[in-house]
Amino acid sequence: MYRGGAERTMSILCNEFAGRGYGVTLFLTENEDGIRFKLADKIDVIDIDSSKKFYAFKMWDYMKRLKREIKDRNIDILVSFIVRTNISAIIACRQLRIPVIVSERNNPYIVPANSKLRMIRDLVYRYANGVVFQTQYARDYFCDKITKKSRVIMNPMSEAIGSSVEFEHKDNIIISACRLEPQKNVPLLIEAFERIANEIPHYKLHIYGEGSKKDSIASIIRQKNLEDKVLLMGQSGEVINKVANAKIFVLSSDFEGLSNALMEAMCVGTACVATDSPTYGNRDIISDGYNGFLVPVGDAKALGNKILELAKSDELLKLFSERAKRLAEKTNRTKIVDDWEVYINKIIKR
């Protein structure tokens, strides 16, 4: 629960179900001390982390500890996120005859990167009682035995989402918020900005987030002599307010599940440019040219051109801002959690 879209969605579901009177237990497979998302006091947080080095041994540990906790707590149903955890959860619950719903949170065609692990996932998911996908594209990857018992449910928006900022009060900032990992392709964003920086000298690029590529990204910024224009802002608990105050939000990922950061940026009325990345979830929230721009993955020139088009047109910025805010209705937290609740109860009754 340190950071990330899947973790954020899990925290929202836990809090909402606890608020609806359900008994909620959150099992963590790593880093219990690193919880960054606010959790209701009613939620029991149980550490089932393993000190084992190799994944196969870790999975065995997870299953043993999970089975023991499920028995002790009289669990009715288990909901699991992320592939490695999902595999352990399905095997443990099958042995205990407890229903389990797993959720695919990224592009199943390429995540996990290990092809053998993908094959294991594709086999084991057949034995889940239910599967939740974020997009139809992700769902279409799997066989009929899996898709017939599945649902597509969008991500709920966090209660931390604040109000939008009137356009006149927004700053001349291009902003991005993501994990600084290869998947997010921040160097592409920097290259795109470099192409257009001289044409929009009043704009700066602010990048929020931490990750394994932070040092290499900082090096790229120095090599391009953009230190005064491109700023690495680190982590911030107020990042959504920073996004709301910026005129343009950019997502440059090579692939995504369904980007919470992009959805939140739209909900607070920031004009958005995003790569049309698999699992094509961005198409579910951006209608290209209507409420934002979609560009091909890896195309720095196209990305730069669309950012420039927005930066040079206050009229287009205002139009995209107003239309983007309508996404808030589609991703209403109560509505999304209602969908989860109906599906969970259906699986339990089945």
Side-chain angles (χ1 to χ4, degrees), residues 1-4 7-19 24 26 34-43 45 158-160 237 333:
M1 298 297 288
Y2 178 62
R3 61 187 176 207
E7 293 82 353
R8 179 178 300 173
T9 297
M10 181 62 83
S11 71
I12 293 170
L13 292 177
C14 286
N15 288 334
E16 284 291 316
F17 280 116
V24 177
L26 177 61
I35 296 175
R36 291 292 181 91
F37 298 100
K38 185 177 180 181
L39 296 173
D41 293 337
K42 300 176 183 178
I43 298 169
V45 179
S158 168
E159 59 187 5
R333 189 169 67 255

Side-chain angles (χ1 to χ4, degrees), residues 72-132:
D72 290 347
R73 293 170 179 275
N74 195 27
I75 299 293
D76 294 303
I77 190 167
L78 189 76
V79 177
S80 175
F81 280 13
I82 304 179
V83 171
R84 292 173 184 266
T85 312
N86 291 347
I87 293 170
S88 301
I90 292 169
I91 295 171
C93 287
R94 287 287 293 187
Q95 292 174 350
L96 294 174
R97 299 184 180 275
I98 298 294
V100 57
I101 296 173
V102 297
S103 185
E104 189 69 23
R105 310 305 298 179
N106 215 314
N107 182 353
Y109 292 83
I110 57 177
V111 177
N114 185 312
S115 60
K116 291 181 180 178
L117 188 56
R118 289 202 302 272
M119 291 175 61
I120 293 171
R121 174 202 60 193
D122 296 351
L123 173 63
V124 174
Y125 275 20
R126 295 167 180 254
Y127 299 97
N129 300 87
V131 186
V132 171

Side-chain angles (χ1 to χ4, degrees), residues 188 191-193 195 296 298-305:
L188 179 78
E191 181 184 347
F193 181 76
R195 289 170 172 267
D299 192 332
K301 181 178 180 181
L303 184 62
N305 286 344

